[in-house]
Structure formats: structure tokens, C-alpha cells
Amino acid sequence: MRECSRISRRAVLGLTAAALPLSTAAALPLATAAAAAPAVVGGEQLARGGVQVRGATGLPAKITARSWLIADCDSGEVLASFNAHRRLPPASTLKMLFADTVLQKFDRTQRYTVKDSDLADIPVGSSLVGIKAGITYTVEQLWQGVFLRSGNDAVHVLSHMNGGIGTTVAEMQAKATDLQALDTHVVSPDGFDHPGQISSAYDLTLFARHGLKNTDFRGYCGTRVANFPAGGKKTFQIQNTDRLLTGAMGLRTYDGLIGVKNGYTSNAGNTFTGAATRGGRTLLVTVMHPAEGSNAVYEQTAALLDWGFGGGRSAQAVGTLVEPLSEGGAKASPAPGAKGAQPAGGGASASSGGPSAGRLVEGAAGTALLLAAGAWVVKRRRRAVAAAEAAAPPEPQPADPGGGRHRR
């Protein structure tokens, strides 16, 4: 009976120890759980709604965008923001991520003859630079089509050169994950309206900052005009659609502007990420979905840049543009409860890296069932132990490894 008692007690202790990690995890204080989780990408303040600014005043009063952000390109400090992580359709500003992903794969002098199949899957209503099957283009010319005219035909040709649309989309999503652009869900490489295709002002600014480190990216996004092949020895001139760069549609060029990318669709409205340098300082601004017409996105970008180069110099950082994981950046977690559109199905974006609320509920329920089952088994074992020890001399009791009270 003594040996039987020892085995029973060992069984009880083993079961208790096995159940302990589950019960301990379920009972961890909220503060401890929060401390163990990665920091919110960009910082906790950027996860808040509304205007975020510290140490400076005088922000432009007539900013009607649904989301915007201004940051120092070199330091990565976010100087001010409004709904930085709000998830919205990005339109062609998503082409910055396309360039971040594909640009370095092909030499700019490489030549490619376009096939009909390269142009077969371009969405109806797309912006086009005018690529035609049978004409041979250099990679440089294709990228000019992407950056200057926001040509979805150029994007699709480069995507097919890269292994196809599906391969390119998967690589773009992986790139977004590496850049820690956790609000972004990629459906197509061109930024065209598709259900679930979303990004945020924070993520678009990450894409621009990363791209501007590349000489070719910087050169393409700052090119105002270029000659484009029309077949044979003929060419036609294309102009950059960035109005702050060219001064089109009644706007003045912005002093010191170096790019980056604009976009428009009927669903997304106007989006723009711009970068400008003055006095050795480069600022990045992203503006998404202003309430007014097509010039507003540029006017509001210019107003925020003016503030950053002026009164915003005294601003204290409200967050930071994180570094890519592949470059040693600390892993972060998505901003909780970011407002805005979600991928089809209403769940978190594929790049969010976090479980949905439903999954959390399922996990909690599963844990509760396991704990209940473990408690029932332990009770049965304890009854068996008590019955066995009633007929045997008492022994010293081992310390209870599960002792202590847990707060729930």
C-alpha cells in the first residue's frame, strides 16, 4: 500500500505540474502579460486615434485627411500623426512596396519583349503608360512607367518577369512583414481596388523610407519627364503625375521635393506620400483620403511639410518608424483596434501577425476545458491517495508545486 501511495502521489504531482503552465498562463496578471508582449509597432501613442503631437503647436488647421503622418526620414522619429494605423485602401501608393520588393531583381539595362499574356490580367479601368505587346523595353523604361505614369501595365509586365502576379503578391506581403508594415494586406501588386487591399499612413511611410535608401528608387520617383518607346524608333513623352514635383493642375512645385508616390482610385480617393529636403533635413509625409478634390492631397502634404520644416522643429517624437527585421529591427506587434477597412471576411489582415478576437475566445474556451478536465483527474487521484493512505502509516508530504493563489 505504501508503494501504491507513492505512485499515486507522484501521479497527482505530475498531473498538477502538467496542468500548472495552463493555469498559470490563464491567471497571469494583465500587466505581466502586457510586459511579455512585443511593443506596438511605432510606439503606443501612434496606436491612439486623433492628432498626436508633443512639444510643438501650429499644426495646419485645414487637414481633412482621414489619416496622415509626418516623420524625419533619417532618424525615423514621427513628429505628428492622425490615425496613423487606420487601415485604408492605398491606391497606387502601394507601388512603393512593389518597388521595394522587385526593383533590385533586374538590371536597369536588361531588355524585355512584352507578350500578350503579360497584359492579359490588367484590371479594367487601370492607369496605363501605354505598353504594347511585341515592343522591347528596358527595365529602366518599365520602372519609369511605374513611377511617372503609375502604369499598371508596367507593373504587370515586371510582375510576370518576376514569376507572375501570385508570386509577386506573396513576395510583397513577405516584404511588408519584414518591414513591419503590419497594417498592410496585399491583393494585387498595382494597388488597384480589390476587396481587402489595405494599408495605413504609417506603413506607406515605411515603404517610402525604405525605398529612398535605394539610388534607383530615389532617381525614378524624382524624375519629372522621360521619353517612352512607341515602337520602332518612335517615342512619346511621359510626365510624372506627382503635381508637387511638376507643378501641374495649378499647383506650385514644392521646394526641395524629392518624390515619392501618389495614387487615386474611386474607392480609395487620393493618397500621397511625399519627401522633401531642406537645410540637410529630409521629411516624409503621408496623407490618405482628404475630403476635398484631387489637389487637396498635395496641398495638405505641402502644409504638413511646411510645419515640419518650421514650427515642427521643436516637436518631440510621438513614435518611430521601425527598422526592418532583416536589418536588426526589434519585432513589434500590430496596433490594436486600428480603425478602417479590413480584408474580405472581416478578420485581421494576413500580415497582422496576431490572432483574431474569435481565435482568442476559442483559445480561452479550450484552455478552460483543459483545466476543468485536469482538475477532475486530479480530484480522482487525490481520492485514491486518501483511500490508500487511510490504511498506511502517514509519510512526510512533499511541497506542493502548485501552491499559491492566482489572480484571475
Side-chain angles (χ1 to χ4, degrees):
M1 292 297 292
R2 186 181 299 270
E3 185 61 28
C4 178
S5 176
R6 289 195 187 101
I7 294 173
S8 298
R9 282 197 297 274
R10 289 191 194 110
V12 170
L13 294 174
L15 283 167
T16 305
L20 184 60
L22 284 171
S23 59
T24 302
L28 274 175
L30 291 178
T32 304
V40 172
V41 63
E44 299 289 340
Q45 191 165 351
L46 294 186
R48 304 172 191 167
V51 174
Q52 304 300 321
V53 65
R54 276 192 317 197
T57 58
L59 276 168
K62 296 182 179 180
I63 304 296
T64 64
R66 297 171 69 188
S67 175
W68 56 262
L69 181 146
I70 177 169
D72 186 290
C73 188
D74 295 323
S75 69
E77 291 183 344
V78 177
L79 307 180
S81 70
F82 175 71
N83 296 337
H85 287 291
R86 185 168 190 172
R87 295 164 185 165
L88 298 165
S92 286
T93 47
L94 193 66
K95 289 181 172 77
M96 293 187 292
L97 176 60
F98 173 70
D100 288 342
T101 305
V102 180
L103 185 59
Q104 297 186 66
K105 292 193 173 189
F106 307 106
D107 188 276
R108 62 190 299 154
T109 62
Q110 182 178 334
R111 299 173 67 81
Y112 182 77
T113 302
V114 174
K115 304 185 292 290
D116 287 326
S117 57
D118 297 329
L119 306 174
D121 48 13
I122 299 172
V124 176
S126 289
S127 56
L128 304 172
V129 65
I131 290 174
K132 297 186 181 300
I135 297 180
T136 299
Y137 302 85
T138 65
V139 166
E140 178 179 14
Q141 290 165 340
L142 293 173
W143 282 113
Q144 287 172 343
V146 172
F147 277 94
L148 274 66
R149 298 304 302 173
S150 205
N152 287 3
D153 46 358
V155 170
H156 280 246
V157 170
L158 286 163
S159 295
H160 283 287
M161 291 173 64
N162 187 51
I165 299 298
T167 296
T168 302
V169 166
E171 290 181 356
M172 288 173 66
Q173 192 67 68
K175 187 67 173 180
T177 300
D178 177 61
L179 295 176
Q180 305 203 68
L182 305 180
D183 301 320
T184 297
H185 182 249
V186 183
V187 178
S188 69
D190 47 36
F192 195 80
D193 284 339
H194 291 283
Q197 183 137 277
I198 53 172
S199 191
S200 67
Y202 182 85
D203 286 8
L204 294 176
T205 311
L206 284 181
F207 302 153
R209 186 186 186 217
H210 183 76
L212 289 172
K213 296 176 183 178
N214 180 277
T215 302
D216 286 341
F217 184 109
R218 196 180 184 102
Y220 290 136
C221 76
T223 300
R224 289 174 170 79
V225 295
N227 292 322
F228 201 77
K233 295 183 178 180
K234 296 180 179 179
T235 62
F236 60 94
Q237 190 180 82
I238 57 175
Q239 184 180 43
N240 202 312
T241 55
D242 177 351
R243 298 176 193 175
L244 287 185
L245 191 67
T246 64
M249 300 296 289
L251 285 175
R252 296 173 55 188
T253 58
Y254 191 85
D255 183 29
L257 195 82
I258 56 177
V260 183
K261 190 71 188 75
N262 58 326
Y264 171 81
T265 66
S266 55
N267 181 44
N270 290 280
T271 60
F272 181 60
T273 298
T277 299
R278 289 184 184 175
R281 188 186 194 198
T282 299
L283 297 181
L284 290 162
V285 169
T286 295
V287 172
M288 300 186 76
H289 305 209
E292 298 88 356
S294 60
N295 273 348
V297 74
Y298 303 104
E299 293 167 347
Q300 293 179 26
T301 296
L304 287 168
L305 284 169
D306 285 344
W307 176 83
F309 288 123
R313 285 186 173 275
S314 63
Q316 301 171 26
V318 295
T320 186
L321 301 177
V322 295
E323 298 298 328
L325 295 174
S326 60
E327 298 177 18
K331 187 174 178 61
S333 63
K339 295 180 180 179
Q342 296 290 336
S349 72
S351 64
S352 68
S356 68
R359 290 297 181 194
L360 289 173
V361 171
E362 290 171 11
T367 300
L369 287 172
L370 286 171
L371 288 171
W376 179 78
V377 171
V378 169
K379 286 179 180 177
R380 287 195 62 185
R381 292 291 187 181
R382 283 176 175 168
R383 291 193 192 104
V385 170
E389 290 187 344
E395 290 184 350
Q397 297 297 311
D400 179 7
R405 185 180 300 273
H406 298 297
R407 290 185 293 165
R408 296 185 183 276

